[in-house]
């Protein structure tokens, strides 16, 4: 997917540092040391959604490296935000998912080297996980400014950020189980430490949506703002406060806060990548993508192996 410079405003153009995939990395005009990472094209029906795919996760890692390394002498804090009238992210790109991003049962059965196909799937999941984890590893604090959608995999991205602010119209969900997957790029590992184990399980199992006010009530976001303009003003104000402090003190605080927890996160991510390498080959993933494209409810037919032998057969017609 090509991302054109034509959507840059004159202010962004003058402060632009670099374009990396869908992200435009700019110096903030509000405070020294604040970097703004903006994404989405409000004039494009798809790019304004900031859908998650291979290019997105690769770019995330590039942005984190830029903030941590090349901008070491100036970057103190970064704001990740969509452009106005764009989404923080509307979730995984299901068309990319259905078009070969994952290894299907037919791929494995028809492959001369089925084990290698599963290894390839494992590697892809780890690449996605690493893109998200790069935000947690980034030496400077990352502020997520969320509006209006933070769906599915986007909650993994937000969970890897240090601070989260949203608007009252923001919509959140941990949606992966609704498309035949377990959320596998970080939200199940990081969200329990933010909102608690029980609430995480509820959101992951039900896939229900929740708004900005509930997100604040359960502790997922620190503040809820009235609209996009108020959101960006608040994020910039907090970012300026962070940037005014000792960079060594702030960065060491992040390192200590993340240190022990991220070790456990990475262990769990590796375990989950191994499980996820096998899961996409089921029919449920393709069915969810086809149902989404056809604007209908999915009919899931896969079963879970019975550990005592055999399996419970699925019959979508109930006969």
């Amino acid at each position: 997917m090509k991302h054109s410079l034509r959507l840059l405003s004159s202010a962004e153009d003058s402060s632009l540092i670099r374009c990396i995939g869908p992200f435009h990395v700019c110096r903030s005009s509000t405070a020294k040391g604040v970097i703004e990472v903006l994404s989405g094209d409000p004039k494009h029906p798809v790019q304004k959604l900031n859908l998650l795919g291979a290019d997105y996760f690769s770019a995330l890692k590039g942005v984190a490296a830029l903030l941590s390394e090349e901008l070491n002498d100036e970057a103190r804090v970064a704001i990740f935000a969509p452009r106005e009238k764009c989404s923080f992210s509307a979730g995984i790109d299901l068309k990319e998912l259905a078009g070969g991003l994952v290894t299907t049962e037919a791929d494995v059965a028809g492959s001369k080297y089925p084990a290698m196909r599963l290894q390839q799937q494992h590697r892809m999941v780890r690449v996605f996980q690493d893109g998200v984890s790069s935000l947690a590893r980034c030496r400077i604090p990352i502020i997520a400014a969320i509006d209006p959608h933070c769906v599915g995999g986007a909650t993994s991205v937000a969970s890897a950020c240090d601070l989260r602010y949203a608007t009252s119209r923001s919509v959140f969900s941990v949606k992966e189980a609704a498309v035949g997957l377990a959320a596998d790029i970080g939200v199940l590992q990081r969200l329990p430490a933010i909102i608690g184990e029980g609430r995480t399980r509820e959101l992951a199992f039900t896939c229900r949506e929740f708004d900005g006010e509930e997100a604040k009530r359960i502790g997922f976001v620190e503040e809820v703002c009235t609209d996009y303009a108020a959101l960006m003003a608040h994020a910039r104000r907090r970012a300026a406060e962070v940037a005014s402090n000792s960079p060594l003190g702030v960065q060491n605080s992040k390192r200590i806060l993340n240190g022990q927890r991220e070790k456990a996160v990475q262990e769990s991510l590796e375990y989950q990548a191994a499980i996820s390498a096998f899961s996409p080959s089921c029919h449920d993933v393709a069915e969810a993508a086809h149902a989404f494209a056809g604007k209908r409810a999915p009919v899931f037919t896969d079963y879970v192996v019975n550990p005592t032998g055999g399996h419970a057969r699925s019959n979508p017609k109930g006969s």
Side-chain angles (χ1 to χ4, degrees):
M1 184 182 294
K2 295 182 178 179
H3 303 276
S4 173
L5 290 178
R6 64 178 173 78
L7 54 85
L8 288 174
S9 67
S10 58
E12 289 174 354
D13 191 37
S14 63
S15 63
L16 179 68
I17 298 172
R18 188 171 304 169
C19 292
I20 303 177
F23 302 109
H24 292 149
V25 184
C26 307
R27 293 179 180 87
S28 176
S29 60
T30 59
K32 184 178 180 180
V34 177
I35 305 297
E36 297 185 9
V37 183
L38 305 174
S39 58
D41 181 352
K43 297 181 180 179
H44 193 285
V46 176
Q47 291 182 16
K48 71 179 182 179
L49 299 176
N50 278 317
L51 296 176
L52 306 178
D55 290 345
Y56 183 99
F57 293 113
S58 176
L60 266 187
K61 192 170 181 180
V63 170
L66 176 66
L67 295 171
S68 292
E69 298 166 15
E70 293 186 48
L71 299 181
N72 180 63
D73 61 339
E74 64 171 300
R76 298 290 178 262
V77 60
I79 301 171
F80 267 66
R83 284 190 174 79
E84 189 170 10
K85 298 181 180 179
C86 295
S87 294
F88 183 80
S89 174
I92 195 75
D93 187 337
L94 288 177
K95 288 186 177 180
E96 185 175 337
L97 189 74
L101 185 63
V102 299
T103 299
T104 66
E105 184 178 24
D107 291 332
V108 175
S111 174
K112 186 177 180 181
Y113 306 104
M116 292 182 67
R117 293 303 299 260
L118 295 174
Q119 287 178 334
Q120 180 183 19
Q121 183 65 38
H122 177 272
R123 182 189 62 80
M124 181 62 70
V125 173
R126 289 299 281 162
V127 167
F128 285 15
Q129 291 174 343
D130 197 47
V132 174
S133 292
S134 68
L135 298 179
R137 290 194 304 267
C138 184
R139 66 177 181 82
I140 65 174
I142 306 293
I143 296 174
I146 301 167
D147 177 67
H149 302 106
C150 184
V151 177
T155 55
S156 290
V157 177
S159 297
C161 295
D162 297 283
L163 298 171
R164 289 161 293 276
Y165 305 123
T167 61
S168 55
R169 69 170 185 165
S170 294
V171 176
F172 301 82
S173 69
V174 182
K175 201 77 172 176
E176 285 83 350
V179 296
L181 300 169
D184 59 3
I185 56 175
V187 70
L188 297 185
Q189 286 73 24
R190 296 185 175 95
L191 195 58
I194 300 171
I195 67 170
E197 185 84 23
R199 189 67 73 183
T200 298
R201 289 172 185 266
E202 179 196 278
L203 296 176
F205 297 163
T206 65
C207 303
R208 70 175 181 84
E209 295 182 347
F210 56 104
D211 61 18
E213 293 295 341
E214 183 177 357
K216 181 181 179 182
R217 191 163 62 249
I218 64 178
F220 187 50
V221 302
E222 281 66 58
E223 194 57 71
V224 177
C225 304
T226 55
D227 54 27
Y228 179 84
L231 171 69
M232 292 304 294
H234 183 77
R236 286 165 176 155
R237 185 162 55 250
R238 288 289 181 260
E241 292 173 351
V242 172
S244 69
N245 293 317
S246 160
L248 184 62
V250 170
Q251 290 165 31
N252 282 344
S253 294
K254 175 171 179 174
R255 184 187 300 271
I256 293 166
L257 285 166
N258 282 4
Q260 195 62 40
R261 187 179 70 184
E262 279 300 307
K263 289 180 182 179
V265 165
Q266 294 307 316
E267 279 187 21
S268 179
L269 286 173
E270 172 56 39
Y271 173 69
Q272 188 164 12
I275 294 175
S276 295
F278 291 88
S279 297
S281 61
C282 73
H283 297 105
D284 286 355
V285 176
E287 167 60 15
H290 294 149
F292 177 80
K295 297 181 180 180
R296 61 174 174 81
V299 179
F300 296 125
T301 59
D302 270 313
Y303 60 85
V304 176
V305 174
N306 185 339
T308 63
H311 64 267
R313 297 185 63 183
S314 172
N315 189 337
K317 295 182 181 180
S319 58

